[in-house]
Every structure is written in structure tokens, then in C-alpha cells.
Amino acid sequence: MKIVVLGSGGREHAITRTLLRSPQVERVFCVPGNGGTATTDRCENLALGADDFPGIGQFCSDNHISLVVVGPELPLSQGITDYLQQQQIPVFGPTKAGAQIESSKAWAKALMATAGIPTAFASVFTDANMAIAYVQTGKLPIVVKADGLAAGKGVTVATTLAAAEAAISAAFTGKFGAAGSQILIEECLYGQEVSILALTDGQAIIPLLSAQDHKRIGPGDTGANTGGMGAYAPAPIVTPNLMQRIEKEILSPAVRALADRGIVYRGVLYAGLMITPPGDPKVIEFNCRFGDPEIQAILPLLETPLEEILYATATGRLAELGPIAWKNEVCACVVLAANGYPGTYEKGKVITGIDLAEALGAIVFQAGTRLQDRQLLIDGGRVLNIVATDSTFKQAFARAYAAVDCIGFEGMYYRQDIGHRLLKA
Ligand code: AMP
Ligand code: GLY
């Protein structure tokens, strides 16, 4: 089987390496890939953009590609799946209509309302003055969200009226481009966040192991929001009983509501949840793809061949798959970032020590890296994911952090407290 993976982050390197564990997978082609996929056996990077639909389609038909796996949300929201499906190429990832669950928060809220899915109360605004008048009468903190895709930067949890007004003005003066021409103002939820990444082919639903991300840049979950600074799986807060409730109250009604809108949704339905204090799950947001870095902490525990899972999902045969097998272990993932991330940072610095880290038994999934003249260089804000599995979280984190010590690059930044809630408990 030959597979194309679209994207260039840690998620895509993790997907690629997991696919290649299976002897059934002959070769993986990454579009455009990163330094990690460039140095993985049986894998090669293609000099195509993830938005070059005709180029990708042509490559797939010329090379008898069996499956295209779409990593990021952007090509999904631009309709890559619709484009390739017209050429009879199986695609893991929803159509443009299905991707609206992530690309329009207002659309997702309306879907949740019709399906009766528990979520924060929200109002939608297309006018700054009306939005400002609304927050002046509301309770603080309050959450201001750009409607469209804003690379994880479109959400402000405002603790003061001034911060809420500034977020509203920023959105309506074009900070997020067209993504901010409509905003949501949302009730603030409290509790613990977890990510549930569920596979669905539009009918059957199979949740993967639960995971917890660490979105903030600073220790103790402080400072700016990032794409995610570390993760672990499975999240002990998601008991079997809670997982059943999540399936019944959130995942099943969402897939049914999508089907009622004529959407056959095939790929990942990612529910970002707040487990509110009595233990009730509420949706913060839905995404239409795997979480990054959550999936880097989930895939090392997977035993079932990944290509079977993704192919069954893409071709509507998920019900025939049977239960997914997992290792009876836990997994820790620490993200190493460039100095300055999530703000501005410098590219091009040399990265060393990956072989040493892997010799300690850790897995290094590369993210913002590129290979140039046999040197590995920084090419993005989140640079590497250091991942370790073990029988307890204490040991898994100890192994991951020991491997972190092997890595070197100028200005390397990471959180030293990934898993802090868990390890304290
Ligand atoms: P999102 O891009 O929607 O995932 O939001 C980014 C982050 O903002 C989430 O992971 C939460 O930490 C926070 N957030 C978003 N919406 C809410 C809400 N209604 N209440 C509290 N925190 C929120
Ligand atoms: N780690 C959060 C996300 O992928 O959206």
C-alpha cells in the first residue's frame, strides 16, 4: 500500500512513522513533510504544497496511491477531500462541508444546538458595537472567539471588560482576516480540559484513547495560548463511564446531526471538552482532524495497524474493523519549542542529539524542522516532540525528560511541568 500524508508537523511525522511500522505499507509520501519525514526509511517528501490540489491528484493517479491522509484543517476546509474523492481516491478527512465543524464556530454551535449537545452558551455578532454593548451587560470572564480558522490564536478568555473590548475590536479590524468578520461571545467554562479524538465514517464511531494537551506556554498553565506544549494519554479523568457519556451525549448526536445535513463525515471528529466540576462533559470546540500534540501521545500506544484503521474510515467500513488494540501502557509527550514561540522566533539554527534521545528509548517526532546539507535545522515554532511510553506516568515523564536533556539547539524552550496535574494527584 502506498499512502500520501498531507502536512508538515509533529502530527504528520507521528502518523508517517506509525504507518511505516506495518509491513503492508510499502511507502509514504509527505506533502510537503519536514526534516523528520525526509530522514525516515520508506518515506519521501514531495515538492508540492498541501494546497496544490491538481498536483496532489496527479501524483496519486500516476503512482497508484491507495489512501490520502490529511493532517491539518486548512486543506480540509479548502475541499481537498471533495477534489480527490471526485477522482475515486480514498481520503481520510471530511469534505469541505464537514470541515465547517472546525472552520466556522458559529456553524458548529448551530449544529450543537439542533443536536442538543452540551456546550457553552454563545451569541454570534457581525457588528463590533453590538458585541461591545453585549459584553458590557455580561459576566466576566467572558470568551471572545473569531468564527473562522485563526491558527489557534482566535480565542481570548477575557478577565476584564477592556480585554474583551480589545479582542472584539481586534477581530473586527482584521487581525484574523475574514476569519474575524464574525465572532462568538461565549460563556466561560471551568474545569479540566480533555481531547477526545474519535474516528467516524459517518455511521460507526470509535473513540481513540483520551488525551490531555497543555495549551499555555508557561509553567502551571500560564501565559499565551499555543498549539500545544505537551500531552499525555490516556487521560485518567476520562473513566469508562465518562467515555460512555461522551459517546452518547456528544459524539453520536454530532455524527447524526452531520448526517441530517447530508454530510457523510469520514475522518476524525475531535471534541475539545471541558469536564465541568460535577463531572459533566461540555464541548469547547470541535476540530476536523487529529490534535497536535495529542496524537503524538496516542499513536505510540496503538497496536492495530494504523493503515487498516484509516483505510476503513476513509472507505466507510469502520464497523467491520473490530475493536482497536492498545498497549497496556501510558504515554508522555514534551514539545521543544524555538525561543520566542508562540511569538516571533528565528529559523535555521542547528538541532543535535536526536539519535542520543532515541537511544534512551524515547521517540522523537519532528515538527518545525528541515534538512539542509545533511544538517537538521529549525523551521517552525514547535520543533520536536519527545515521547516516551512506560507502565506509569511518573516513569514515562522521567524517560521523556531524560531524553529531552540529550537534545540541543540555541534558545530551546520547553515546559518542565507537562503532566503536572496528574503527577500531583
Ligand atoms: P479553541 O481554539 O476554541 O480550542 O480555544 C482555545 C482555548 O481557549 C481552549 O483550549 C480553552 O482553554 C480556552 N477556551 C475556549 N473556549 C472557552 C470557554 N468557553 N470557557 C473557557 N475556556 C475556553
Ligand atoms: N492541540 C490542540 C489542537 O490540535 O487543536
Side-chain angles (χ1 to χ4, degrees), residues 25-375:
V25 178
E26 197 182 320
R27 210 161 178 79
V28 174
F29 300 92
C30 291
V31 180
N34 60 25
T37 54
T39 48
T40 300
D41 280 348
R42 286 154 52 217
C43 177
E44 70 186 81
N45 290 349
L46 302 181
L48 290 170
D51 57 354
D52 180 359
F53 294 4
I56 295 165
Q58 190 66 49
F59 180 85
C60 291
S61 54
D62 291 350
N63 292 279
H64 310 288
I65 297 299
S66 307
L67 175 68
V68 175
V69 182
V70 187
E73 62 278 14
L74 194 60
L76 293 170
S77 73
Q78 293 168 337
I80 183 72
T81 301
D82 312 62
Y83 183 87
L84 295 174
Q85 278 179 347
Q86 276 167 16
Q87 303 180 32
Q88 319 300 326
I89 299 165
V91 185
F92 180 86
T95 57
K96 182 174 182 171
Q100 288 178 96
I101 204 157
E102 175 165 3
S103 68
S104 170
K105 290 183 192 289
W107 192 89
K109 276 284 175 194
L111 183 103
M112 286 188 258
T114 46
I117 294 171
T119 184
F121 178 78
S123 303
V124 179
F125 294 91
T126 50
D127 175 84
N129 292 329
M130 285 171 76
I132 288 173
Y134 178 81
V135 294
Q136 283 171 345
T137 61
K139 251 195 351 205
L140 290 170
I142 196 152
V143 184
V144 180
K145 296 186 173 184
D147 178 62
L149 296 179
K153 295 182 181 122
V155 175
T156 304
V157 182
T159 50
T160 63
L161 198 54
E165 289 178 357
I168 293 167
S169 300
F172 285 116
T173 50
K175 185 173 177 197
F176 309 112
S181 59
Q182 172 160 287
I183 64 166
L184 278 75
I185 298 184
E186 198 170 290
E187 155 201 15
C188 188
L189 299 176
Y190 300 91
Q192 248 197 83
E193 284 184 51
V194 291
S195 303
I196 302 297
L197 317 183
L199 302 164
T200 178
D201 59 3
Q203 293 212 306
I205 301 170
I206 305 184
L208 302 182
L209 294 180
S210 59
Q212 194 162 97
D213 186 13
H214 296 63
K215 289 227 161 82
R216 304 296 190 99
I217 188 72
D221 301 318
T222 55
N225 256 326
T226 70
M229 294 302 295
Y232 59 78
I237 187 173
V238 184
T239 58
N241 182 40
L242 180 57
M243 187 62 111
Q244 269 182 7
R245 284 190 58 191
I246 291 167
E247 288 192 60
K248 184 159 165 265
E249 296 169 26
I250 293 167
L251 301 172
S252 298
V255 171
R256 236 178 295 132
L258 287 162
D260 289 345
R261 282 165 162 71
I263 296 168
V264 182
Y265 189 105
R266 291 182 175 170
V268 187
L269 181 62
Y270 163 152
L273 304 178
M274 189 72 89
I275 310 303
T276 55
D280 297 325
K282 290 193 176 176
V283 175
I284 296 175
E285 60 163 356
F286 281 119
N287 293 320
C288 62
R289 35 100 198 152
F290 289 125
D292 178 342
E294 291 96 320
I295 199 68
Q296 287 92 305
I298 293 172
L299 290 179
L301 300 171
L302 180 69
E303 282 185 336
T304 307
L306 181 60
E307 80 281 6
E308 288 177 14
I309 297 174
L310 302 184
Y311 191 76
T313 307
T315 54
R317 299 206 195 106
L318 196 55
E320 296 164 31
L321 187 71
I324 294 180
W326 299 100
K327 282 195 187 125
N328 190 21
E329 287 191 326
V330 299
C331 188
C333 168
V334 178
V335 171
L336 307 185
N339 183 28
Y341 175 80
T344 52
Y345 55 88
E346 265 183 68
K347 296 185 178 180
K349 314 255 192 229
V350 177
I351 305 160
T352 59
I354 292 181
D355 291 349
L356 293 174
E358 294 211 328
L360 289 186
I363 311 166
V364 181
F365 293 130
Q366 298 186 30
T369 70
R370 80 190 150 87
L371 197 65
Q372 186 183 306
D373 304 328
R374 298 219 210 126
Q375 275 194 319

Side-chain angles (χ1 to χ4, degrees), residues 358-418:
E358 294 211 328
L360 289 186
I363 311 166
V364 181
F365 293 130
Q366 298 186 30
T369 70
R370 80 190 150 87
L371 197 65
Q372 186 183 306
D373 304 328
R374 298 219 210 126
Q375 275 194 319
L376 191 66
L377 306 178
I378 294 182
D379 199 41
R382 290 189 293 168
V383 180
L384 300 176
N385 302 265
I386 313 297
V387 178
T389 58
D390 213 313
S391 53
T392 67
F393 279 114
K394 195 165 173 227
Q395 285 164 294
F397 276 106
R399 282 157 69 87
Y401 279 110
V404 167
D405 290 337
C406 301
I407 306 286
F409 58 82
E410 196 184 311
M412 179 170 116
Y413 172 81
Y414 60 96
R415 275 185 58 174
Q416 302 188 17
D417 67 339
I418 301 301

